Amino acid sequence: MRRLHCEVLVVGSGPGGSTSAWMYAESGKDVMLVEEGRNLAVNSSEDHSLQQMDEKWRSGGVTAALGSPKVTYIEGKCVGGASESNAGLYHPPLSDGLEAWARDFQIADFGADELAPHLAAVVQEIGVSKRPFAYSPASQALACGSEAMGWKWTEIERFWRYSQRDDGGWDGHRRSMSETLIPKAIAAGCRLQSDTRVDRLLRRGGRAVGAIAFVRREDGSEEKIQIDFERVVVCAGAVQTPRLLRKSGWIHNIGNSLTMNPMVRIVARFPERVNVPSFGVPVVQIEEFKPTMTIGCSYSAPPHLAMWLEGAADDVRRKLEDWHNLAVFYVKVCGRGRGSVRTMPIFGDSLVRYKTHADDFAHLGEGLFRLASALFAAGATEVHSPLPGMPHLKESSQAERLRRILTPQNSSLSAIHLHSTVPMGENPDVCAADSHGRLFGAENVTVNDSSLLPTSPGVNPQGTILAIARRNILRILDA
Amino acid sequence: MRVDFIVQGLVEGLLVSSGGEAVIPVEQTTSILVRKVDHMPRFMRFGMYVLLVLFDLYGVLRNGRRFRSQSVEQKRKRIEEWSRSPLGPCRDMVEFFRKMGTFVCWSLLEEE
Ligand SMILES: Cc1cc2nc3c(=O)[nH]c(=O)nc-3n(C[C@H](O)[C@H](O)[C@H](O)COP(=O)(O)OP(=O)(O)OC[C@H]3O[C@@H](n4cnc5c(N)ncnc54)[C@H](O)[C@@H]3O)c2cc1C
């Protein structure tokens, strides 16, 4: 068996792993960044296309947490993790939420003030910007509806850069990890090993001494290798990190407290055009009800619209004839439910279970009611029901129906923000890693990704994950 | 085990309109959906195969022929019955093929 050596092994190259690899490499350590997925250009496929699902998402984007109802979710799987295909919306963490984490999970030296310099550094390093041109008409409609209802709304900044073309138009560039921190890490000496899945860590007493990994060859076969290291940083995301740790024999408080932000979508029709071919990612969110619920606009290209419009081909074609007048909107709640991550016996896959909390159904219903009210206030002529077979709403007085529409039996929920499977802090009852991500019961294992967030942050989490990852590595290097 | 014929039947039952004119890429949609099933985590793939086979046999129970061999109209009825089933996995299976099938089909039509 081939053996590789490094001082620091970083498993997973999403936002947490890229930050860790870059900072360790900058400090002069010999770092290897191992990623299960492929090394692809950031624009190798169109956003949310079939090709992107196959290339950049685990299991082609078809993964589900079992429960009643099941919740479908997406995990990134490529160099850069989910940052390569996400919307890049940057939302700073909410101060109250950070204080609650510090208090309830007993996280030392933690809070809005402590995290602020790390957030600033992340924003500076990666680049965050507002859209330099008008929002898409659907975003404008949402903003207008929100105003009519007297609710605050906001434009969310993105990990994105814009450049102006000669013809005056704008090009957007995703500031994903493969475009930002990974090249920096490589320039500082980090070795990137893609197409390589770490299967388990080898333990000797309280230390991890190596990793067994499988390298995928061009012909589809796999080579088994061993990687020896002095320290390992596990950043495989909120599902794969607990799975790898549990498989390697660490189980205390690991994989028991998964949180996510369940989401539902609806389609609305307007008398005027709200959808254009270059619709992109809508950046407007209704601010008023955060963190309990976030209301926004979604990708609305015709194949996405079609998914939410019911019927056979002729029906859908008819409905799509005026696709310019249709857009998809979402309600996402800060989930109060809890889930677990285990390894499925016999099959060996991750087994994710999630119990949606009754409050989440209530909040989703309330959110749908508010969303529909705002859309009608913005001039929508029709709001489709989120449930198949139910009549569409034609006026705002009917929006009330959405309040209690969702039940565990009929809901179709999805999630893209998963966290909390290795919560950090000093509270021994609930935490699996200390205040800086060092795994309890392991001398040289650190976790540094979305798994550490003690509960759901209620807002787009990537900025928080990056800032916490930076804070943790700086602290560990200092020590 | 091959499930292509059952998946194709689902695509026809879910997406082909009765007496409609829309031409949809049934075969391409089917092969992409089969690939999607094959990319699922192993236990989900296993579950999906079991459901597909049961669904095929459910056709025999209802009107003496496997689902794959029924007319499009009958296929639509069988799908409708499963989408109203009290059993979550049956409803989930239909929902998966309805949503993913629609997305795949319209992505292909857009490419054209
Ligand atoms: C579609 C989508 C849209 C999103 N939009 C936003 C947004 O707009 N704003 C926002 O803030 N957040 C967004 N998110 C969430 C955000 O992308 C994630 O929270 C963030 O990427 C999580 O970072 P991470 O470091 O925990 O791991 P991930 O990004 O999940 O990366 C983990 C990496 O580890 C690799 N890996 C896993 N197991 C192994 C193993 N055993 N060996 C080797 N490698 C392994 C995986 O292949 C993956 O590449 C979105 C997520 C998705 C899926």
Side-chain angles (χ1 to χ4, degrees):
Chain A
M1 183 167 46
R2 193 154 60 100
R3 278 179 95 140
L4 305 175
H5 304 266
C6 60
E7 249 180 303
V8 181
L9 174 70
V10 179
V11 183
S13 65
S18 300
T19 308
S20 310
W22 170 53
M23 298 198 67
Y24 267 120
E26 284 270 304
S27 77
K29 302 267 189 251
D30 168 26
V31 181
M32 185 183 288
L33 175 59
V34 173
E35 166 58 50
E36 180 176 2
R38 294 163 64 191
N39 192 0
L40 297 158
V42 66
N43 52 5
S44 65
S45 50
E46 234 179 80
D47 273 343
H48 286 237
S49 61
L50 275 170
Q51 191 189 345
Q52 186 180 66
M53 292 168 85
D54 284 344
E55 278 184 357
K56 297 192 171 172
W57 293 355
R58 185 172 295 277
S59 306
V62 188
T63 34
L66 304 186
S68 177
K70 66 165 190 340
V71 184
T72 56
Y73 66 88
I74 298 170
E75 282 179 86
K77 189 182 133 189
C78 61
V79 168
S83 79
E84 302 301 312
S85 53
N86 73 16
L89 297 173
Y90 166 69
H91 204 302
L94 304 173
S95 311
D96 289 353
L98 296 178
E99 305 308 331
W101 285 352
R103 187 185 59 237
D104 300 343
F105 291 79
Q106 299 165 16
I107 310 177
D109 310 323
F110 192 81
D113 290 344
E114 284 81 1
L115 214 55
H118 302 290
L119 277 169
V122 160
V123 164
Q124 159 90 28
E125 212 50 67
I126 297 178
V128 162
S129 41
K130 287 203 172 177
R131 218 170 132 109
F133 47 99
Y135 315 135
S136 67
S139 287
Q140 283 174 27
L142 190 65
C144 169
S146 181
E147 247 160 51
M149 301 300 293
W151 300 332
K152 273 186 284 175
W153 61 273
T154 190
E155 176 194 348
I156 305 291
E157 290 182 299
R158 296 173 76 193
F159 289 108
W160 223 259
R161 264 201 195 138
Y162 297 93
S163 58
Q164 197 154 24
R165 294 191 303 263
D166 291 343
D167 66 3
W170 293 89
D171 286 324
H173 312 278
R174 173 180 270 123
R175 304 293 289 158
S176 67
M177 295 302 109
S178 73
E179 289 284 292
T180 56
L181 300 188
I182 294 174
K184 282 174 198 267
I186 291 171
C190 165
R191 284 171 285 164
L192 172 64
Q193 170 90 30
S194 63
D195 298 285
T196 302
R197 174 176 57 86
V198 172
D199 185 59
R200 65 180 194 281
L201 303 176
L202 302 171
R203 281 180 73 164
R204 194 170 304 139
R207 280 184 76 77
V209 291
I212 296 295
F214 291 89
V215 184
R216 200 174 39 254
R217 298 199 192 96
E218 292 263 315
D219 63 2
S221 65
E222 288 189 328
E223 179 197 358
K224 186 175 178 183
I225 61 168
Q226 180 168 332
I227 308 171
D228 301 317
F229 52 75
E230 281 162 27
R231 170 161 283 283
V232 60
V233 190
V234 183
C235 308
V239 173
Q240 304 307 321
T241 287
R243 177 172 174 235
L244 177 60
L245 293 173
R246 291 188 70 94
K247 191 166 183 192
S248 309
W250 285 283
I251 55 169
H252 178 66
N253 289 338
I254 293 175
N256 298 341
S257 47
L258 171 75
T259 62
M260 53 169 90
N261 297 344
M263 172 154 95
V264 279
R265 292 186 176 87
I266 48 174
V267 173
R269 181 185 299 277
F270 287 81
E272 69 281 346
R273 286 175 158 235
V274 286
N275 203 343
V276 286
S278 56
F279 188 84
V281 169
V283 289
V284 166
Q285 289 180 347
I286 296 182
E287 194 71 6
E288 189 78 16
F289 313 108
K290 285 180 186 171
T292 308
M293 66 184 77
T294 302
I295 298 175
C297 183
S298 231
Y299 278 100
S300 297
H304 293 93
L305 278 169
M307 245 197 319
W308 306 106
L309 298 170
E310 269 179 78
D314 279 294
D315 273 348
V316 175
R317 175 157 293 176
R318 225 179 353 266
K319 289 173 188 163
L320 280 181
E321 264 163 18
D322 59 349
W323 68 270
H324 286 108
N325 297 25
L326 300 170
V328 186
F329 297 85
Y330 68 85
V331 177
K332 183 167 68 186
V333 296
C334 178
R336 291 196 56 205
R338 284 288 176 279
S340 64
V341 179
R342 295 286 184 271
T343 300
M344 186 80 178
I346 302 169
F347 296 97
D349 309 302
S350 330
L351 170 63
V352 180
R353 279 176 289 207
Y354 185 77
K355 188 167 182 350
T356 308
H357 197 279
D359 287 354
D360 296 345
F361 289 108
H363 291 150
L364 284 166
E366 186 62 27
L368 284 172
F369 163 67
R370 288 172 176 163
L371 170 59
S373 305
L375 295 173
F376 281 120
T381 51
E382 190 174 77
V383 172
H384 288 215
S385 156
L387 302 181
M390 280 209 42
H392 303 324
L393 315 180
K394 300 284 187 193
E395 53 187 61
S396 79
S397 61
Q398 298 171 335
E400 183 70 33
R401 282 190 213 152
L402 297 175
R403 272 203 158 118
R404 272 170 287 279
I405 196 172
L406 299 178
T407 67
Q409 287 72 36
N410 68 12
S411 316
S412 172
L413 306 183
S414 60
I416 50 176
H417 302 159
L418 283 76
H419 348 81
S420 319
T421 45
V422 188
M424 66 177 190
E426 308 298 331
N427 182 342
D429 296 336
V430 283
C431 297
D434 75 5
S435 298
H436 296 90
R438 285 167 294 216
L439 198 68
F440 291 133
E443 271 170 45
N444 58 345
V445 182
T446 302
V447 171
N448 213 17
D449 62 8
S450 45
S451 321
L452 288 183
L453 308 193
T455 59
S456 181
V459 294
N460 304 80
Q462 186 173 316
T464 310
I465 295 164
L466 286 159
I468 291 179
R470 182 178 189 276
R471 160 194 180 267
N472 292 350
I473 300 293
L474 278 180
R475 175 58 178 261
I476 291 168
L477 284 169
D478 266 0
Chain B
M1 193 195 339
R2 300 213 35 196
V3 289
D4 314 33
F5 298 114
I6 313 169
V7 175
Q8 178 156 344
L10 277 156
V11 172
E12 287 164 0
L14 286 164
L15 301 180
V16 175
S17 320
S18 43
E21 287 163 10
V23 179
I24 64 157
V26 173
E27 274 163 31
Q28 256 180 301
T29 304
T30 302
S31 74
I32 294 176
L33 286 175
V34 171
R35 194 178 76 212
K36 286 266 159 221
V37 172
D38 285 339
H39 283 177
M40 284 177 175
R42 273 171 292 225
F43 77 95
M44 278 174 69
R45 184 171 57 210
F46 176 78
M48 188 59 96
Y49 269 62
V50 170
L51 281 168
L52 284 167
V53 170
L54 289 177
F55 187 54
D56 204 24
L57 296 176
Y58 171 74
V60 180
L61 210 73
R62 295 290 294 160
N63 56 354
R65 302 175 82 185
R66 285 195 290 180
F67 168 75
R68 68 178 81 176
S69 315
Q70 302 192 350
S71 68
V72 175
E73 207 42 58
Q74 288 169 330
K75 281 179 179 143
R76 245 181 244 128
K77 279 203 190 111
R78 299 294 82 80
I79 293 170
E80 184 59 24
E81 285 155 12
W82 267 41
S83 71
R84 289 176 198 280
S85 162
L87 304 173
C90 301
R91 294 195 306 269
D92 289 347
M93 186 198 85
V94 174
E95 191 203 322
F96 170 77
F97 285 106
R98 189 192 304 279
K99 284 237 164 73
M100 191 56 83
T102 309
F103 178 68
V104 169
C105 173
W106 290 92
S107 298
L108 292 170
L109 287 171
E110 263 235 315
E111 272 172 27
E112 278 172 21

